[in-house]
Amino acid sequence: MGLKSHRYLPHHPTPKGEALHDDILRAIDRAIPFPLLFEIQAKDRVMAVAAYKRPSDAEKGKWVLSDHLRGEWVAQDAPRLALPVAVNMGVLYEQMVSALVPVQPLLGEDVETRLARLAAIRSKEREIAQLQSKLKRESQFNIKVTLHGQLAEAQAEFDHLKKPE
């Protein structure tokens, strides 16, 4: 699906006007009850975007969406990579979405588990940023020591999420 995105709000650090806001993609994903892969076109470049979509276990007919994952901008006239080899469309979809996940897969890790690990990594990044901010503002030594300990623990958890042993 090619969407011209030059008039939508920017969401990621790209030149102004060259990104399609995730709210628009989420609305399209919710309206169409099947897995989707988007191809965003801006000027002479193309980017793959997708949210991992699976049927809900709790409510029949509903779908569960991950956050949208974005590939890199590539030249529109660049040669396309061959599609991954797959025995059915579900496996092909998982392989194509998996290619957009920005964390390396662990041995035997499926897409859903990898996306859960990505969400945990992003959450831990926010926690670390909050602790660093508190540490900069704090003036009491004993509270700074406590914050340093919490920051070290959060950083160790972050490192383990990035590269579990």
Side-chain angles (χ1 to χ4, degrees):
M1 170 184 238
L3 297 174
K4 297 293 182 184
S5 61
H6 56 18
R7 293 192 179 178
Y8 296 105
L9 300 172
H11 180 69
H12 291 279
T14 58
K16 185 175 181 176
E18 290 192 4
L20 190 61
H21 200 277
D22 281 347
D23 291 343
I24 295 168
L25 296 175
R26 186 165 292 284
I28 295 169
D29 262 323
R30 285 187 176 143
I32 300 173
F34 300 102
L36 298 175
L37 297 167
F38 297 97
E39 188 173 87
I40 309 300
Q41 298 176 353
K43 295 185 183 177
D44 59 346
R45 301 180 310 159
V46 178
M47 177 196 312
V49 179
Y52 183 69
K53 191 187 250 189
R54 65 172 177 79
S56 172
D57 295 332
E59 196 172 338
K60 187 175 177 152
K62 295 287 183 174
W63 290 78
V64 177
L65 294 173
S66 72
D67 289 336
H68 280 86
L69 306 164
R70 294 173 180 265
E72 298 294 319
W73 284 107
V74 294
Q76 194 165 6
D77 57 356
R80 290 185 175 265
L81 298 174
L83 289 174
V85 176
V87 294
N88 62 43
M89 292 300 283
V91 173
L92 177 63
Y93 174 72
E94 283 191 12
Q95 289 179 3
M96 292 179 78
V97 170
S98 180
L100 298 174
V101 179
V103 293
Q104 292 298 318
L106 301 175
L107 188 62
E109 187 177 43
D110 65 0
V111 177
E112 286 187 59
T113 306
R114 201 159 134 212
L115 286 169
R117 188 163 53 96
L118 175 62
I121 287 169
R122 289 180 175 165
S123 174
K124 196 56 68 175
E125 285 174 335
R126 286 188 298 274
E127 179 184 340
I128 288 170
Q130 289 172 347
L131 287 169
Q132 288 171 336
S133 178
K134 283 181 184 178
L135 192 58
K136 285 179 186 175
R137 290 189 314 259
E138 189 55 56
S139 60
Q140 292 184 21
F141 179 75
N142 59 341
I143 295 176
K144 276 190 167 194
V145 169
T146 302
L147 288 172
H148 270 291
Q150 291 173 351
L151 183 58
E153 185 179 313
Q155 189 64 49
E157 290 172 9
F158 174 78
D159 293 340
H160 178 72
L161 285 169
K162 284 288 254 190
K163 290 199 173 203
E165 296 174 42

